[in-house]
Amino acid sequence: MPQITVDCSPGARSALDRRKFALALHHLVVDTVETRLEACKTRFRPAEETVVGDGGTDAPLVHVGIALLPGRSEEVKARLSQAVVDLLLEHLATAGGAPPHVSAEIRDLEPSYRKR
């Protein structure tokens, strides 16, 4: 915990320094939801085909999903999701081209979650 998944379009993968972003994201999560840094785990998944709107742009598209142990308030989750969007925009700002499409979702892990 936290389980972090980042889905990236081809344009986002070339525009985003994934390791640098993940390390910054881990610190952001620790500061926002009071977890341990060593508990943060991030996986990047390529989204090979993406279409936004009328399909007229190949703008970078990134979605970050963060699953946490239950107990955080909706306000904390909302604050974290906005901070993740802001962090993504900072990391994609140097890419140039079409403006990126970014989103974040914070959810609770299911009661069946186990780790070792």
Side-chain angles (χ1 to χ4, degrees):
M1 193 285 305
Q3 296 290 336
I4 304 167
T5 305
V6 183
D7 296 309
C8 299
S9 69
R13 284 197 316 276
S14 63
L16 182 65
D17 180 333
R18 293 182 296 273
R19 181 173 176 75
K20 185 176 179 182
F21 171 72
L23 293 173
L25 178 60
H26 291 177
H27 286 283
L28 175 68
V29 171
V30 167
D31 292 344
T32 307
V33 299
E34 298 180 13
T35 188
R36 297 180 346 260
L37 186 61
E38 59 273 10
C40 295
K41 297 168 282 303
T42 298
R43 296 179 310 276
F44 288 88
R45 299 186 302 197
E48 292 303 325
E49 295 184 36
T50 59
V51 179
V52 176
D54 65 3
T57 180
D58 287 332
L61 185 144
V62 182
H63 175 75
V64 177
I66 302 176
L68 303 169
L69 291 173
R72 275 61 177 213
S73 69
E74 291 303 315
E75 293 79 20
V76 167
K77 292 178 193 175
R79 190 169 67 243
L80 179 57
S81 63
Q82 184 60 57
V84 170
V85 166
D86 294 343
L87 184 66
L88 268 171
L89 292 173
E90 286 176 31
H91 281 260
L92 290 168
T94 60
H101 295 272
V102 300
S103 58
E105 175 188 20
I106 315 304
R107 64 176 182 81
D108 289 341
L109 287 162
E110 294 296 321
S112 61
Y113 174 77
R114 300 292 185 270
K115 69 176 185 171
R116 181 173 187 268

